[in-house]
Amino acid sequence: MKKQLLDLTLTAKEWLTDRHVLLKLTHEQPLPDAVPGQFAEVRIDGEPATLLRRPISICNIDRQRNELWLLVATIGNGTRRLGRLDIGERLNLLLPLGKGFTIPTALSHPTPLLIGGGVGMAPMYFLGKTMSQQGLKPSFLLGARTASDILLADEFSKLGPVYVTTEDGTMGEKGFVTNHSILGREQFGYIATCGPKPMMVAVARYARQHGVGCEASLENMMACGLGACLCCVEKTTKGNLCVCKEGPVFNINDLLWQI
């Protein structure tokens, strides 16, 4: 897909928690094509200490509204500046970047399970929506420390069943995603995951033990987004690969994780 450098306009901003904000942006021309799992490199204006762009997963592209969603965790100077954007401000993005998820067919994988943790829930929404539009019926398993950190639950529920784990038991089942009882009650033909690495490693271990195809979207630190700076390199069965260019989505069988 052709990369584009665009100035998008902020049309809506919704605080989901005290540190997670959903930004909705539009453009005068139709937004570029993108697949779930791809990301944008966002330029941070008005923050002198932030020199590099910030990689942020594409959470959704609404073709009817010509709207792009970015789910941002405001944890540093750059992302906090994004949280201070006003409606009508412009944001410069380079997109779409990276390689996304494989969309399974309903015939080969009739029961996909999408597992997200933290802002890793963002690409799971875009993936689930795309699957739904193609006739698949995804299920979602969302994990967080506490109930307030479960993001976009209402949006996910419009696409398929939603299962939740929280570490403190304030929502759903208490524990980690791989402890959820749904994994013992149902069989899934495909698993996609994005979130903290320990969570994804546990998901990959479950998938391998049960013979389920699994893809993971890695969250290695990225700077350029183009494979030039080499700061996001991951060791794989195919050698050292740049996550921003050869990923961020990888089949777990290509990763050298101890699973």
Side-chain angles (χ1 to χ4, degrees):
M1 294 182 180
K2 184 179 179 181
K3 303 175 183 64
Q4 297 188 39
L5 192 63
L6 300 174
D7 286 318
L8 302 186
T9 301
L10 184 67
T11 58
K13 181 172 73 171
E14 180 182 354
W15 285 96
L16 306 180
T17 74
D18 60 355
R19 62 188 182 91
H20 294 97
V21 62
L22 182 65
L23 305 179
K24 298 182 179 182
L25 304 117
T26 191
H27 194 261
E28 297 81 6
Q29 301 297 322
L31 291 167
D33 290 331
V35 298
Q38 290 187 302
F39 66 98
E41 284 278 358
V42 182
R43 192 178 72 201
I44 309 296
D45 296 326
E47 181 54 58
T50 305
L51 301 178
L52 299 175
R53 289 176 179 264
R54 292 295 183 265
I56 301 178
S57 295
I58 297 172
C59 181
N60 183 32
I61 293 181
D62 186 329
R63 291 295 173 190
Q64 291 185 332
R65 295 177 177 270
N66 198 41
E67 198 171 65
L68 173 78
W69 296 9
L70 297 178
L71 178 58
V72 181
T74 56
I75 56 177
N77 289 338
T79 50
R80 283 195 292 267
R81 171 67 182 102
L82 295 179
R84 296 195 300 271
L85 287 171
D86 294 322
I87 303 301
E89 278 197 71
R90 306 276 274 185
L91 197 60
N92 184 267
L93 277 69
L94 176 63
L95 78 162
L97 298 173
K99 295 181 180 179
F101 288 96
T102 303
I103 307 296
T105 65
L107 183 62
S108 61
H109 299 293
T111 53
L113 177 65
L114 314 186
I115 303 177
V119 290
M121 297 178 199
M124 296 299 98
Y125 178 72
F126 190 17
L127 178 58
K129 180 182 174 183
T130 302
M131 286 181 170
S132 182
Q133 291 171 340
Q134 296 186 11
L136 286 159
K137 295 182 179 179
S139 295
F140 302 93
L141 178 52
L142 310 179
R145 289 189 179 91
T146 190
S148 61
D149 290 333
I150 297 295
L151 310 173
L152 300 171
D154 290 342
E155 297 295 336
F156 281 112
S157 66
K158 298 173 185 177
L159 303 175
V162 179
Y163 306 96
V164 171
T165 64
T166 50
E167 293 178 30
D168 62 3
T170 51
M171 184 176 182
E173 297 185 10
K174 185 175 182 178
F176 302 116
V177 290
T178 48
N179 302 132
H180 198 286
S181 60
I182 191 64
L183 296 177
R185 299 197 309 266
E186 293 192 21
Q187 292 184 334
F188 297 96
Y190 166 87
I191 294 175
T193 186
C194 184
K197 185 175 179 179
M199 183 202 81
M200 292 195 293
V201 170
V203 170
R205 184 178 299 116
Y206 167 87
R208 180 166 292 178
Q209 289 173 348
H210 291 80
V212 180
C214 180
E215 292 180 315
S217 179
L218 275 57
E219 295 186 327
N220 295 32
M221 184 176 293
M222 304 178 198
C224 70
L226 300 170
C229 69
L230 305 179
C231 74
C232 64
V233 167
E234 179 78 16
K235 294 181 179 180
T236 76
T237 59
K238 301 175 182 178
N240 295 335
L241 300 179
C242 289
V243 170
C244 67
K245 185 177 181 181
E246 303 299 331
V249 177
F250 291 88
N251 188 301
I252 62 165
N253 293 327
D254 294 331
L255 299 171
L256 296 178
W257 290 352
Q258 298 301 310
I259 57 176

